[in-house]
């Protein structure tokens, strides 16, 4: 089993990066964990969209 961590500031970027990884690799997805976080820095909201992919190479 292998793992891959994805971390982006916008959900659309996370979607694109993950779709690219999945289409470029011949894998079997075992599990997927998703998380969001938000913080404020200098009165600006910053989001973090993360995913942990557990997979096996075929």
């Amino acid at each position: 089993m292998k793992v891959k961590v994805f971390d982006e500031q916008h959900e659309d970027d996370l979607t694109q990066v993950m779709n690219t990884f999945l289409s470029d690799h011949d894998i079997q997805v075992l599990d997927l964990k998703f998380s969001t976080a938000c913080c404020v820095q200098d009165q600006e909201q910053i989001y973090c969209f993360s995913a942990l992919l557990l997979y096996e190479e075929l």
Side-chain angles (χ1 to χ4, degrees):
M1 175 173 41
K2 292 190 173 188
V3 297
K4 173 77 175 163
V5 176
F6 301 91
D7 182 45
E8 298 292 334
Q9 291 186 5
H10 194 278
E11 66 270 23
D12 290 339
D13 294 335
L14 180 64
T15 300
Q16 180 184 8
V17 169
M18 290 186 71
N19 281 333
T20 299
F21 179 85
L22 292 169
S23 66
D24 290 348
H25 296 83
D26 192 18
I27 63 171
Q28 176 185 1
V29 175
L30 302 176
D31 200 1
L32 178 65
K33 308 291 185 190
F34 176 76
S35 176
T36 60
C38 179
C39 69
V40 177
Q41 181 179 13
D42 298 327
Q43 298 184 339
E44 178 184 359
Q45 274 189 322
I46 299 173
Y47 290 91
C48 176
F49 297 89
S50 306
L52 173 69
L53 175 66
L54 289 83
Y55 66 95
E56 296 263 347
E57 291 182 334
L58 298 178

